[in-house]
Amino acid sequence: MVSADRVHISRMRIVKSGPAEEKSNSNKAYRFSKNTILTVIAFVMLVMVGFTIFNIIATPEFLVKHKIKSIADDYYQNYFYDSVPEKEGLSYYTETGLSRLSLRQLLLYSDRKYSDTTDWFINYCNLDKTNLKFYPEEPYSRTSYHVDYSYSCKF
């Protein structure tokens, strides 16, 4: 048989006193603040490292070449390729390539789509002497080509 003392002890619960409870809550708040501060410091340091790496990699030469490549890809895939009625006709240009395009022509195609970048390119390149030439490749799909770039830039 279970005694009354045993039943009373099993139903007891521990209640913290006022000062002990306050100390416990303030300790939790301190840990939360400390973790938050460490997280913010780590995030700021990662952003700083990212900007430093970007500044090392993102030289004017890198930026110019990257931008010209993206404009050239857009030109061939979304403008020129759509204007060719018979794609098999591109086979005539696999060895000789299409006629050269100057950077100025490339910036002004398709209703002057990239004309707002002209001033930026003028700071680095000669728009008439920087040019590129497309070479279609089999199977003459939208993305089967390579480009020969000729830069006349200050880098």
Side-chain angles (χ1 to χ4, degrees):
M1 186 169 243
V2 179
S3 69
D5 290 333
R6 208 164 171 77
V7 170
H8 179 65
I9 291 173
S10 69
R11 293 187 178 193
M12 278 181 49
R13 61 178 198 181
I14 299 173
V15 178
K16 294 182 182 179
S17 64
E21 190 175 339
E22 289 174 17
K23 186 176 181 181
S24 171
N25 287 340
S26 67
N27 195 15
K28 287 180 185 174
Y30 175 72
R31 284 186 186 152
F32 180 74
S33 297
K34 185 178 178 181
N35 288 340
T36 303
I37 289 171
L38 290 175
T39 303
V40 168
I41 289 172
F43 179 74
V44 168
M45 290 186 68
L46 283 172
V47 168
M48 289 173 51
V49 167
F51 277 125
T52 303
I53 290 172
F54 178 76
N55 285 335
I56 290 170
I57 293 173
T59 61
E61 179 180 5
F62 173 82
L63 293 174
V64 166
K65 287 181 177 182
H66 179 73
K67 199 162 202 152
I68 290 174
K69 182 186 179 324
S70 78
I71 295 171
D73 289 342
D74 182 46
Y75 171 81
Y76 189 87
Q77 295 172 11
N78 300 318
Y79 180 74
F80 174 77
Y81 189 80
D82 290 338
S83 68
V84 176
E86 293 197 27
K87 308 309 182 211
E88 294 79 26
L90 293 173
S91 64
Y92 296 113
Y93 300 102
T94 55
E95 295 294 321
T96 59
L98 302 168
S99 58
R100 287 203 171 271
L101 276 174
S102 70
L103 180 56
R104 183 178 308 278
Q105 291 171 316
L106 192 64
L107 294 175
L108 298 178
Y109 86 91
S110 185
D111 296 327
R112 301 175 171 263
K113 187 174 184 178
Y114 294 101
S115 63
D116 58 333
T117 61
T118 303
D119 291 336
W120 184 80
F121 276 113
I122 287 174
N123 293 329
Y124 300 105
C125 298
N126 182 326
L127 299 182
D128 297 316
K129 292 183 180 178
T130 300
N131 52 50
L132 50 123
K133 192 170 191 175
F134 293 98
Y135 293 89
E137 297 174 341
E138 285 188 62
Y140 309 112
S141 67
R142 186 175 299 275
T143 58
S144 57
Y145 64 94
H146 74 274
V147 184
D148 178 28
Y149 298 95
S150 175
Y151 299 101
S152 177
C153 300
K154 304 173 201 167
F155 43 71

